Amino acid sequence: MRKAYSALVFSYGCQIDKLLNIPGENLKGVYSAREFVEWYNGLPSASTLNPNLDCEDVVILGQGNVAIDVARMFLSPLDELRKTDISEYALDKISKSRVKRVHLVGRRGPLQAACTIAELRELTKLPNCFGIITHQEVEFLREKIKELPRPKKRMMELMLKIADSSIDNKIDFQKQWSLSFFKSPLEFLPSEENPDQLGKIRFSLNKLKDNIAYPTGETVELSTNLAFRSIGYRGVGIPGLPFDSERGLIPNKNGSVINERGLYCSGWIKRGPTGVIATTMNDGFETAKTILEDINSSRIDITSDQLGFDGLANSLKDIKVKPLNYQDWSKIDMIETQVGTAKGKSREKFVDIQEVFKLLDH
Ligand code: NAP
């Protein structure tokens, strides 16, 4: 690729998830939120996950926006999900699931919850769905709230409102979700009937000091056959490219890969797995600006006769790889959209890569 192009931008995100590294993490019923998200989004490599959703209580470990995304898949009305580009098999499986209660458990307190207010508010608006926050866990906020900066203050007001309505509202809703704080998972325990299957999760109760969670020595257990680890993503390196394995990203200065002329990065692999779409856009603008500066200062040479995609295609032909080009992508896009429209949804994605090859005659 370096022979074909003057500048290359690596923008491939973070594709693996962090592990808790606690006993029982391999039990059946313990899934990573990443693979679940990939499954319902129809990523071919995750299409065979086939999670067992046959239980009433789901525990999600972590309180970031991915945790909220996963919760919403179980709590949203099926008619709403049906209109999205969710894969057909996932919709079918979720529609048959018995899940009634979704517990989102965080190791620190409400002030440190990683989700954003818009996403939390979406949860509170779900029809036939009741949110619970235990009063004892958020009561201390009433004292603190005045001193908080405005965005945090609004988030804490929302949490207190949820806690208040948790007491008042006695209506029997179809589904429930809860945010629960100060609990770190210690161990996944097998069910009594099946030693391979998750039966409960043991948590340590925590207290905070300088924003860090420390165990109090007390523990609690939650019974469940289904848990999702949603504690963040990690980037992986590419052979031959500098990589900071400690932080899981490509070392760079404003998007320019350290000590590598003509190589750039953008997005999560540049900055780590944080931030919403707008953050990633701004990050892309910064990398583009760096490339322009390097062109203007002749740090990279764009006048040479490098062949770009044609050059790359020639090299790929030599190793018998047929690349997908933009026309191919457009064809896939067109078919997915057509099939989706016929079903009243935004798109129906291909989940079998062989079908894509057949369509493109590869
Ligand atoms: P995240 O926002 O970093 O949240 C990770 C969560 O896991 C935090 O609650 C964190 O708690 C917890 N955690 C980490 N290590 C843990 C451990 N060992 N034990 C227990 N809990 C642990 O990650 P994410 O939810 O995967 O989201 C990644 C990024 O994508 C975020 O910036 C998010 O906003 C973004 N995103 C945005 C949207 C959207 O805009 N709608 C949707 C999805 C994702 P601590 O704070 O205590 O570490």
Side-chain angles (χ1 to χ4, degrees):
M1 288 182 87
R2 284 187 108 164
K3 269 193 223 149
Y5 295 95
S6 312
L8 290 171
V9 182
F10 294 89
S11 186
Y12 60 90
C14 296
Q15 69 251 50
I16 57 171
D17 47 271
K18 289 186 198 150
L19 286 168
L20 284 160
N21 289 316
I22 59 171
E25 206 159 355
N26 293 326
L27 284 172
K28 282 187 190 143
V30 182
Y31 297 94
S32 88
R34 174 194 55 82
E35 58 185 357
F36 185 68
V37 172
E38 290 177 355
W39 172 75
Y40 69 68
N41 273 313
L43 197 73
S45 57
S47 60
T48 54
L49 181 71
N50 198 19
N52 184 350
L53 310 179
D54 188 26
C55 70
E56 294 197 349
D57 287 87
V58 180
V59 175
I60 303 177
L61 303 160
Q63 294 182 326
N65 283 336
V66 171
I68 297 215
D69 282 348
V70 171
R72 277 197 293 190
M73 295 313 286
F74 291 109
L75 301 169
S76 297
L78 286 173
D79 283 342
E80 289 303 313
L81 284 185
R82 201 165 275 130
K83 290 183 220 153
T84 69
D85 60 355
I86 182 174
S87 292
E88 201 70 8
Y89 60 71
L91 182 68
D92 183 52
K93 188 101 199 196
I94 289 171
S95 67
K96 290 177 185 145
S97 102
R98 292 194 294 121
V99 172
K100 280 199 173 144
R101 292 169 293 272
V102 180
H103 312 268
L104 296 117
V105 185
R107 63 177 166 181
R108 298 191 288 160
L111 281 166
Q112 293 78 25
C115 59
T116 41
I117 190 163
E119 281 60 36
L120 182 59
R121 203 173 276 131
E122 289 289 321
L123 270 190
T124 66
K125 287 184 186 155
L126 291 173
N128 263 326
C129 203
F130 180 41
I132 297 175
I133 293 181
T134 309
H135 253 267
Q136 289 112 295
E137 292 185 341
V138 291
E139 207 44 47
F140 72 98
L141 290 171
R142 292 195 201 276
E143 283 286 295
K144 276 198 161 224
I145 208 156
K146 287 168 242 128
E147 305 150 22
L148 297 173
R150 199 173 136 73
K152 210 34 133 199
K153 188 172 169 215
R154 285 175 53 221
M155 178 84 157
M156 294 309 111
E157 281 168 351
L158 179 60
M159 292 214 189
L160 283 169
K161 200 170 151 199
I162 299 167
D164 288 341
S165 57
S166 305
I167 298 177
D168 300 340
N169 222 325
K170 301 272 187 282
I171 304 169
D172 193 11
F173 286 84
Q174 271 176 354
K175 294 195 176 172
Q176 266 181 26
W177 56 270
S178 65
L179 277 185
S180 153
F181 302 101
F182 305 110
K183 295 175 191 72
S184 287
L186 283 180
E187 189 172 6
F188 295 102
L189 299 157
S191 81
E192 278 165 20
E193 303 81 52
N194 179 354
D196 296 332
Q197 169 67 46
L198 174 69
K200 50 189 172 182
I201 308 173
R202 181 173 297 144
F203 293 90
S204 91
L205 293 186
N206 297 336
K207 57 177 185 235
L208 288 195
K209 196 170 172 240
D210 299 332
N211 272 337
I212 297 170
Y214 293 95
T216 59
E218 278 183 83
T219 61
V220 285
E221 287 178 354
L222 255 179
S223 292
T224 182
N225 300 123
L226 180 59
F228 293 94
R229 178 182 67 230
S230 183
I231 61 166
Y233 288 63
R234 264 191 83 75
V236 283
I238 291 183
L241 193 68
F243 192 69
D244 179 342
S245 42
E246 190 101 320
R247 298 165 67 206
L249 46 79
I250 299 174
N252 68 91
K253 187 161 181 261
N254 300 332
S256 174
V257 179
I258 297 291
N259 297 333
E260 294 286 347
R261 198 173 282 223
L263 298 188
Y264 302 87
C265 55
S266 184
W268 280 11
I269 201 64
K270 166 186 175 187
R271 205 188 54 244
T274 56
V276 293
I277 290 171
T279 332
T280 304
M281 274 170 61
N282 284 325
D283 191 48
F285 297 148
E286 183 192 65
T287 297
K289 195 167 159 248
T290 302
I291 297 173
L292 279 176
E293 280 166 9
D294 285 355
I295 292 172
N296 290 337
S297 66
S298 303
R299 190 168 179 263
I300 53 172
D301 176 20
I302 56 161
T303 57
S304 66
D305 51 1
Q306 282 163 307
L307 293 174
F309 184 74
D310 290 342
L312 183 62
N314 287 339
S315 313
L316 290 174
K317 212 188 263 168
D318 291 346
I319 55 166
K320 296 196 172 25
V321 171
K322 205 170 170 187
L324 277 175
N325 59 25
Y326 182 65
Q327 281 80 21
D328 294 334
W329 180 87
S330 304
K331 199 167 172 186
I332 299 169
D333 181 47
M334 190 186 70
I335 306 269
E336 287 189 345
T337 315
Q338 274 174 0
V339 176
T341 308
K343 293 181 181 175
K345 58 196 285 196
S346 56
R347 116 182 4 249
E348 186 66 60
K349 292 176 204 158
F350 283 99
V351 291
D352 180 349
I353 207 79
Q354 295 307 326
E355 274 185 37
V356 175
F357 290 151
K358 224 187 284 167
L359 167 82
L360 301 174
D361 206 17
H362 266 224

